[in-house]
Amino acid sequence: MATVPVLIGVSILIFVMLNIIPGDPVAVMMKERISPDVVEKVKAQMGLDDPLIVRYFRFIGGALRGDFGMSYKLNRPVSRLIMQAFPNTLALALAAALVSWLIGIPAGVLSALKPNTIIDRAFMGFSVAGISMPIFWSALLMQYLFALKLGWLPVSGFYGAKYLLMPAVALGWSAAGTIARLSRSSLLDVMQKDYIRTARAKGLSEVRVVVYHALKNALLPVVTVMAIQVASFLSGAVITESVFGIPGLGRLAVDAIRTRDMPLLEGSVLFATFLVVMGNAMADILYSTLDPRIRYGR
Amino acid sequence: MAGKGRNCVPRALRQKVRAGLWQETISRFGENSMAMVGFYVIAAVAIVAIFAPLISFHDPYEINLRQRLLLPSGAHILGTDAFGRDMLSRIIYGARISLLVGLIPSFISIGIGSAVGVTSGYLGGKIDFILMRVADIVIAFPSLLLAMVIMYTLGAGLSNIFIALSFVGWAEAARVVRSQVLSLREQGFVEAAKAMGVRRRAIMARHIFPNCLPSLVVLFTLKVPEFILAEASLSFLGVGAQPPVPSWGLLVSQGKEFIFSAPWVVAFPGGAIFLVALAFNFVGDGLREALDPYLKR
């Protein structure tokens, strides 16, 4: 598997990008003016004087043990901050994934069963709209409509399932389009196969043909994309979390940039990318397990 | 993807066939009403962006605190923002930013991606292995987070967005091109060129690359909306364009505090992003279907 080399490359890229900036982290940490002597001392203490490569190995050695250093601004271990944020992001990602499947798969299936009809066009237009929608915009409009005008849902914050509904729809709808298009093209493809003709020739009802014979095969590639999607939600919830005030991983990264908190940014981006890489690897495994025709490795 | 079988045709004839391919594509594209609507929207937005100073009635930067958050009216068709600036003028000037930020990084990233993809796919071996592992690493990142890290390193600002998005985007283009080159290089016309003693670089540039163009055109039109949304997101998060630049994402971000009292300051600029991204996606889909008639049954 190419997972390990990719992760090493990812860690090098993040580390180099964040450590070549001329900005002095010590100056960022301390607001008041301090004497250069003190700055030098603190730098030496933190090991910031060492060559880049030494610092990289120290960083990666720590990361392997789950230690991403201390946050400059919050003065707490980055790993603890990440672990506090992760469950919130996970809840949002799973809820959003559920929304995208509940909208995407039925839309794709209906479109494929009635190709080139009004239904098909409407659903596909709807799914392109989902892809083209800036999430922060739809999120803000939902807040305006459902929280302020109708008063059905809380504006923002994260204290329970009710708070998850709008963020999940905002995030999930954008992905529903991808799922819908994929299930449509996949099902269209399968419906042309010989075994579907055979099933029809046997005299099976159309519902039976679609549900038992076609869908089972058509949804294989969709399942793979779903796995990748959950991973991308975990890392891609940056905007949704910012708008709805959910204290998750994405918010952590945005806050880290805002306060120029380098270890926190380094840790949260590395962790999020790790999740995506693992998600992709799991999708591969899932695909080969579900589809006996595919085998990886030699 | 598009037209694999026509590659063993002699060159003179092939050029004719290729002209035919584009003509056919354009005529098929013309029959797709959604794609044509998208095309007209883009054309209209482009005209508005180019002639922004002639079209807008107000200076997009002119602050007038006595006219804060005015409702849409005759004098200010889309109302005013929190500094009393005319929303319509700001959106019109913002169109310039969004189009540039969609087009330029798409062009750069696809340029780099095709160079990498053709080299990697045609030469194979160690070079291929190394280039593709680098692409794997870039693709592994969630793209918005990678762009955010680059913006952190380079500093916020419009010009750095071009660099960040180009860096984020090249790897996907490289993969698309490489996979095409892998099948192209086995074709008869490449063998023939090799046998005639055409140099490696000329084969890559003149024989292989032109055959990748159809899918690159589609990739380009689909990259543009992606980058427009990415810029808007970065600017919304505060790491992209900086005030007072009228970037659409920034307009929404600045308006979000006032959404409950003046929802139009969020609705209009966000709607502009949505409309343009939608138009490009329709055109991209239309082109894909036009180039590959078997896609749609």
Side-chain angles (χ1 to χ4, degrees), chain B residues 127-139:
Chain B
I127 295 178
D128 178 35
F129 182 80
I130 292 169
L131 288 176
M132 281 305 112
R133 291 301 80 76
V134 176
D136 283 346
I137 291 166
V138 174
I139 288 174

Side-chain angles (χ1 to χ4, degrees), chain A residues 20 76 153 162 209 263 282:
Chain A
I20 51 167
R76 292 171 59 202
L153 293 164
K162 223 174 152 188
V209 171
M282 258 155 62

Side-chain angles (χ1 to χ4, degrees), chain A:
Chain A
M1 280 291 215
T3 311
V4 175
V6 166
L7 281 175
I8 294 173
V10 162
S11 71
I12 293 175
L13 191 60
I14 296 178
F15 182 81
V16 170
M17 278 196 294
L18 292 181
N19 284 276
I20 51 167
I21 335 170
D24 194 337
V26 180
V28 174
M29 286 164 71
M30 300 174 186
K31 277 200 186 109
E32 295 96 62
R33 270 204 281 156
I34 33 170
S35 73
D37 285 2
V38 179
V39 172
E40 287 309 312
K41 235 182 232 164
V42 175
K43 267 171 120 176
Q45 243 175 27
M46 292 170 65
L48 291 169
D49 284 345
D50 299 330
L52 204 60
I53 186 138
V54 175
R55 276 153 58 200
Y56 172 73
F57 279 108
R58 196 185 300 137
F59 162 67
I60 201 69
L64 285 176
R65 282 178 277 117
D67 173 14
F68 294 102
M70 295 287 277
S71 152
Y72 287 164
K73 287 285 168 171
L74 303 168
N75 212 13
R76 292 171 59 202
V78 169
S79 50
R80 191 176 305 158
L81 292 168
I82 290 178
M83 279 308 139
Q84 271 170 2
F86 180 60
N88 300 336
T89 305
L90 186 67
L92 173 59
L94 292 177
L98 199 66
V99 169
S100 75
W101 303 338
L102 287 179
I103 302 175
I105 293 177
V109 169
L110 285 176
S111 299
L113 293 180
K114 310 257 175 229
N116 299 325
T117 57
I118 301 242
I119 302 176
D120 181 24
R121 268 164 221 271
F123 275 130
M124 286 304 113
F126 192 71
S127 79
V128 180
I131 298 166
S132 313
M133 183 85 82
I135 293 183
F136 53 85
W137 186 61
S138 53
L140 286 168
L141 293 185
M142 273 199 272
Q143 280 185 337
Y144 179 75
L145 182 65
F146 295 111
L148 183 86
K149 284 283 153 190
L150 300 171
W152 290 350
L153 293 164
V155 178
S156 68
F158 194 62
Y159 309 100
K162 223 174 152 188
Y163 289 83
L164 210 55
L165 197 59
M166 274 199 294
V169 171
L171 190 56
W173 186 33
S174 66
T178 318
I179 296 271
R181 298 171 127 205
L182 189 68
S183 8
R184 175 181 182 269
S185 65
S186 175
L187 186 58
L188 271 180
D189 211 41
V190 168
M191 292 303 278
Q192 309 285 324
K193 292 271 159 65
D194 288 342
Y195 60 79
I196 297 296
R197 201 186 322 134
T198 311
R200 280 187 181 138
K202 278 199 304 188
L204 294 183
S205 70
E206 192 62 21
V207 176
R208 231 188 135 77
V209 171
V210 171
V211 175
Y212 289 93
H213 294 258
L215 272 185
K216 232 166 140 188
N217 289 296
L219 291 183
L220 270 179
V222 183
V223 170
T224 329
V225 169
M226 287 167 163
I228 295 172
Q229 215 169 32
V230 174
S232 81
F233 281 150
L234 287 176
S235 59
V238 181
I239 292 171
T240 319
E241 288 177 0
S242 299
V243 176
F244 290 102
I246 298 171
L249 274 180
R251 256 274 296 270
L252 217 53
V254 173
D255 288 347
I257 288 186
R258 219 165 262 160
T259 56
R260 299 207 72 79
D261 192 338
M262 197 273 283
L264 185 58
L265 183 60
E266 204 170 50
S268 51
V269 174
L270 189 64
F271 185 72
T273 311
F274 171 77
L275 290 176
V276 173
V277 173
M278 294 325 273
N280 290 347
M282 258 155 62
D284 278 352
I285 296 171
L286 196 64
Y287 196 44
S288 63
T289 321
L290 290 178
D291 190 344
R293 288 167 299 183
I294 293 168
R295 285 281 172 264
Y296 293 102
R298 46 212 91 141

Side-chain angles (χ1 to χ4, degrees), chain B residues 184-234:
Chain B
L184 284 171
R185 76 169 181 192
E186 307 298 330
Q187 308 256 335
F189 70 97
V190 175
E191 287 295 315
K194 260 196 234 165
M196 281 165 64
V198 181
R199 286 169 191 227
R200 231 169 33 181
R201 202 181 291 174
I203 292 183
M204 289 196 271
R206 262 185 261 139
H207 297 261
I208 302 246
F209 177 67
N211 281 294
C212 300
L213 274 178
S215 46
L216 285 178
V217 170
V218 174
L219 190 65
F220 182 84
T221 35
L222 294 177
K223 272 276 164 222
V224 173
E226 198 185 310
F227 284 155
I228 288 177
L229 288 176
E231 181 273 330
S233 304
L234 289 172

